[in-house]
Amino acid sequence: MLLLIKQVGWFLLCAGLVVLALSTLTAGTAVAQVGSGPTAAPMPPALPTPLDRPFRGTIELTVNATDTDHQIFSIRETIPVQATGDVVLLYPEWETASHAPTATVAELAGLVVLIDGKPSDWRRDPVDMHAFHVDVPEGASSIMLDFQFLVPAQAHLLRPDMVIVPWQRLLLYPAGWYVRDIPVAATLALPHGLAPFTALTFHAIDDGKLDFQPVALDQLVDAPLYAGRYTRRITLNGGTAKPVALDLLADAKEDLAITQPEIDRIKALIAQGLKTFGMAPYRHYDAIVTLSDVLSPDGSGGGVEHLEEGENNLPATYFTDTSKQLNNLDLIAHEFVHAWNGRWRQPADLWSPTFNRPVGGSLLWVYEGQSEFWGRVLAARAALRDRQQTLDKLAMDAATVANRTGRRWKDLQDSTNDAVFMAKHRIVSPDWQRREDYYPEGVLLWLDVDARLRQVSHGERDIDDFARVFFVKDSTQSTRTYTFEDVRDALNKLAPDDWAAFLNQHLHNHSADDAIAGLARAGWTLVYTDTPTETFRQNEEDAGAINLDYSIGLQIDAKGAIQSVRWDSPAFRAGLSPGLHVIEVEGQPFSTRTLLAAVQSSALKPLSIRVDINGSKRVVNIDYRGGLRYPHLERIAGTPDRLSALLDAR
């Protein structure tokens, strides 16, 4: 017992000494750190706060877009002086349609400042690289700027036969005002022989020189100009108070060919859009369509929304080989819907008084997600897609959403932040990192809203009622903002329910079943067969890879290069990753046909492949027994078919 007591005493003494030593060390370290290292330098004064106030005079903006050899825009700008002293000029950074700081001042060069004709120094703000300080003396009347915008090679904005004028890249503007309060009078010089298209009002001074009616800065930026050598303009609803035109610009004259049935379908699209949303928020609208494999190199389309025009960049053969365009058929519809959903009505945290103030995207599942949903629906209602093609497109949406493994850690609401920090950044694992999933998942969310409205109201209400209530043009304002609560309240007025809980279930769920619940409510279910739809096959062709995401879990090109590997899929668990090359499949030289046959036969044994990893070769066994799997939609027997009712023409 005495020995035990001595041992305990010795342990307590040692423990006490350790604690004392640690506390002394900690205290000594803390004392030593205070005041002994560098201290933070004070921040410079904040830039002027934008105010909604009058701006005296008009900015004169002269743009020369004729240097297609060097792809250089040359700009001269004259800004009326509003105040003396330190004047801050801003180069736009946050682009409205990208919801991100995607315009970079790195492309501005050669900046020279003159005040009343005399050279003046400028200095860049030490914190905000898009802000320039100019010292303006008493009595000065104007600030003149000369600079160039150097077009990035991959942008293809300046070509001999086609020019795109992005106004937000071609100007600076004074800080301290809302951009809607700053008038701008623009003049543009284009290469000779190009026909211009824009929502702005202008008159031609001579061949290639245009003089624009003065407009507010936000209106100018919201109406980029396209000009082409091979063009065609088609009126889609002649004789109406708010005309809509289809403006075609092509790299080759033969690509302008469009059949009358195709024209009729686009006319039907405009008519269905107006029937759905009601009064148009625009004075007139131009659906600007480029037909160019330079602007759409991978065969897939891309667009940008504006109030009175839509930018639609589509493959050269969009109208001459329409059977190959199944995945592009709702682009024009999507951008047209944005006139209401995005430009007229806009999320409150996404609206900004300037082009340099950060915005939030918490409601992009409405702004983009619902526009994507309406693109699918209006394309069906206008017969741009037939019923089966629409179901096949929705099956692809559903499969994408159902197989987003990243939902385990990242919900849809957090994905609305992606535009800010993922823009222009390549991601390694789209399904795990979840890039801008508010597009495909938004389709499923709003499909569920429609089905729920029909269910709760016993067929008396649907999503069209929401569109007419929520997006109706009911004031002279150019933009009216909304919040989550406004969306909830509009739904409650149509069909009382706990819509906040319903929407939040979609926004914050970690379950694939919850994410695609609208399918079952609409009377349909997602299934997989061993035969791809034509829509799926064309999507593979555009991507340049066969898509085995729903079987072994990878996408691979015709040369055996793995493009992506789905997180936690059989391929992932076997150790495969993007960049590896498959050189053999089951002992045979790689080909996509051999791989597809091996996957189809995988029910009998694990799939064996040989890969090249930077010159080192090894055999990989993929433990998968499910055969080929491609997404389709099927009816759920005995349930109401609410989806077909949604897709019927109005």
Side-chain angles (χ1 to χ4, degrees):
M1 178 66 72
L2 180 61
L3 179 60
L4 177 61
I5 292 173
K6 287 181 178 180
Q7 289 174 333
V8 171
W10 174 252
F11 172 78
L12 292 174
L13 175 62
C14 291
L17 290 172
V18 171
V19 171
L20 178 61
L22 289 174
S23 63
T24 302
L25 177 62
T26 302
T29 302
V31 171
Q33 288 178 339
V34 174
S36 64
T39 58
M43 295 291 288
L47 298 179
T49 300
L51 300 174
D52 192 8
R53 55 176 174 159
F55 184 89
R56 298 189 307 276
T58 299
I59 291 178
E60 295 178 4
L61 178 67
T62 301
V63 175
N64 188 314
T66 61
D67 191 354
T68 58
D69 288 341
H70 300 103
Q71 297 193 63
I72 296 172
F73 286 91
S74 295
I75 298 99
R76 170 163 289 182
E77 184 176 2
T78 302
I79 303 173
V81 169
Q82 306 295 304
T84 57
D86 182 26
V87 171
V88 177
L89 303 177
L90 299 173
Y91 184 77
E93 181 180 14
W94 286 74
E95 294 186 285
T96 302
S98 66
H99 325 303
T102 48
T104 171
V105 74
E107 293 154 359
L108 179 150
L111 178 62
V112 174
V113 176
L114 296 94
I115 298 178
D116 289 344
K118 298 178 180 179
S120 176
D121 291 334
W122 57 265
R123 64 188 185 281
R124 197 184 300 267
D125 189 83
V127 174
D128 189 337
M129 300 295 104
H130 287 71
F132 298 84
H133 295 260
V134 179
D135 292 323
V136 178
E138 291 288 343
S141 62
S142 67
I143 304 170
M144 181 180 289
L145 311 174
D146 276 302
F147 61 95
Q148 299 85 43
F149 169 58
L150 309 183
V151 179
Q154 68 276 13
H156 305 294
L157 300 179
L158 269 181
R159 296 183 289 138
D161 293 334
M162 192 181 297
V163 169
I164 303 171
V165 181
W167 299 108
Q168 75 275 14
R169 305 292 185 96
L170 310 176
L171 55 83
L172 288 93
Y173 66 97
W177 280 264
Y178 281 21
V179 291
R180 69 184 181 209
D181 296 325
I182 302 176
V184 182
T187 302
L188 174 66
L190 291 167
H192 293 297
L194 301 193
F197 299 92
T198 177
L200 299 172
T201 301
F202 65 87
H203 72 271
I205 301 172
D206 56 31
D207 184 20
K209 291 188 178 180
L210 310 178
D211 196 6
F212 292 84
Q213 179 178 307
V215 293
L217 179 53
D218 62 334
Q219 292 175 285
L220 178 75
V221 167
D222 197 41
L225 178 141
Y226 281 64
R229 195 168 306 280
Y230 308 109
T231 66
R232 183 176 177 184
R233 182 179 176 88
I234 301 168
T235 301
L236 297 175
N237 61 346
T240 62
K242 297 183 176 183
V244 177
L246 177 66
D247 304 330
L248 306 181
L249 301 91
D251 287 339
K253 186 176 181 179
E254 56 267 24
D255 292 328
L256 294 172
I258 178 173
T259 65
Q260 190 58 47
E262 287 299 322
I263 295 174
D264 291 341
R265 279 188 278 270
I266 298 178
K267 287 182 176 180
L269 168 64
I270 301 305
Q272 289 294 321
L274 290 167
K275 287 180 179 180
T276 297
F277 292 97
M279 184 183 296
Y282 49 77
R283 298 166 303 166
H284 49 77
Y285 186 88
D286 283 73
I288 299 174
V289 176
T290 63
L291 303 166
S292 169
D293 292 335
V294 174
L295 297 176
S296 301
D298 62 356
S300 61
V304 182
E305 67 271 15
H306 304 284
L307 179 63
E308 296 188 326
E309 65 181 61
E311 299 178 67
N312 303 274
N313 298 313
L314 289 162
T317 58
Y318 182 76
F319 289 118
T320 57
D321 192 2
T322 55
S323 64
K324 300 289 184 64
Q325 302 299 326
L326 292 179
N327 285 290
N328 293 323
L329 292 175
D330 49 7
L331 178 62
I332 296 174
H334 178 105
E335 303 307 341
F336 184 56
V337 167
H338 269 314
W340 288 270
N341 181 20
R343 307 311 301 134
W344 153 234
R345 294 300 310 272
Q346 192 171 118
D349 63 350
L350 199 60
W351 182 87
S352 174
T354 75
F355 307 125
N356 292 74
R357 185 169 175 171
V359 299
S362 67
L363 290 163
L364 283 173
W365 54 275
V366 185
Y367 183 115
E368 293 291 6
Q370 193 180 151
S371 294
E372 191 80 345
F373 163 84
W374 281 118
R376 306 283 190 270
V377 172
L378 293 180
R381 292 181 181 179
L384 290 170
R385 286 194 183 98
D386 64 30
R387 183 58 55 89
Q388 188 57 52
Q389 290 167 347
T390 301
L391 294 175
D392 294 343
K393 185 66 174 175
L394 291 172
M396 288 177 57
D397 292 327
T400 297
V401 172
N403 289 277
R404 276 299 194 244
T405 50
R407 183 174 287 102
R408 299 176 193 169
W409 70 276
K410 178 178 177 178
D411 61 24
L412 176 61
Q413 185 63 76
D414 186 68
S415 185
T416 62
N417 297 307
D418 295 350
V420 176
F421 68 91
M422 285 187 176
K424 295 190 175 181
H425 292 285
R426 179 178 173 81
I427 61 173
V428 176
S429 182
D431 70 295
W432 186 241
Q433 293 169 275
R434 300 199 70 185
R435 183 171 189 153
E436 299 180 359
D437 279 353
Y438 44 81
Y439 282 97
E441 196 156 335
V443 173
L444 274 296
L445 186 158
W446 290 100
L447 175 64
D448 201 12
V449 169
D450 176 69
R452 182 64 178 166
L453 280 169
R454 294 172 189 271
Q455 183 182 53
V456 171
S457 69
H458 305 290
E460 296 297 317
R461 297 291 188 182
D462 59 26
I463 193 71
D464 288 66
D465 295 303
F466 174 83
R468 282 187 289 272
V469 168
F470 197 73
F471 295 112
V472 64
K473 177 72 170 172
D474 58 359
S475 77
T476 57
Q477 292 175 266
S478 59
T479 301
R480 191 155 66 88
T481 60
Y482 63 85
T483 64
F484 176 91
E485 289 72 26
D486 292 325
V487 177
R488 174 203 64 194
D489 292 347
L491 290 168
N492 271 319
K493 287 179 181 178
L494 293 173
D497 197 13
D498 191 350
W499 286 104
F502 176 92
L503 295 173
N504 278 315
Q505 181 66 23
H506 274 281
L507 294 174
H508 300 292
N509 76 74
H510 295 281
S511 161
D513 290 341
D514 288 340
I516 64 170
L519 275 179
R521 203 185 309 275
W524 294 76
T525 187
L526 174 66
V527 299
Y528 299 90
T529 76
D530 61 4
T531 304
T533 64
E534 178 61 15
T535 300
F536 190 95
R537 193 197 62 75
Q538 286 188 22
N539 193 67
E540 289 182 309
E541 187 175 327
D542 290 343
I546 61 169
N547 184 346
L548 298 171
D549 276 346
Y550 312 123
S551 54
I552 59 175
L554 59 75
Q555 296 190 32
I556 187 169
D557 71 16
K559 295 182 179 180
I562 297 176
Q563 304 299 306
S564 65
V565 176
R566 192 164 61 83
W567 192 270
D568 204 27
S569 66
F572 181 93
R573 293 193 293 272
L576 298 179
S577 61
L580 301 186
H581 275 75
V582 178
I583 55 178
E584 290 182 2
V585 178
E586 299 291 357
Q588 300 296 316
F590 171 82
S591 70
T592 54
R593 179 178 296 182
T594 302
L595 179 59
L596 290 170
V599 173
Q600 181 70 321
S601 302
S602 61
L604 303 177
K605 61 177 182 177
L607 178 66
S608 176
I609 63 174
R610 194 163 182 246
V611 297
D612 185 327
I613 309 172
N614 297 322
S616 176
K617 299 175 178 60
R618 67 183 175 94
V619 174
V620 173
N621 292 315
I622 302 176
D623 189 10
Y624 173 73
R625 307 298 176 91
L628 292 169
R629 299 176 80 241
Y630 299 102
H632 298 259
L633 292 189
E634 283 186 357
R635 278 283 290 125
I636 302 173
T639 63
D641 181 4
R642 299 185 173 104
L643 177 56
S644 293
L646 169 68
L647 301 178
D648 287 338
R650 300 307 188 247

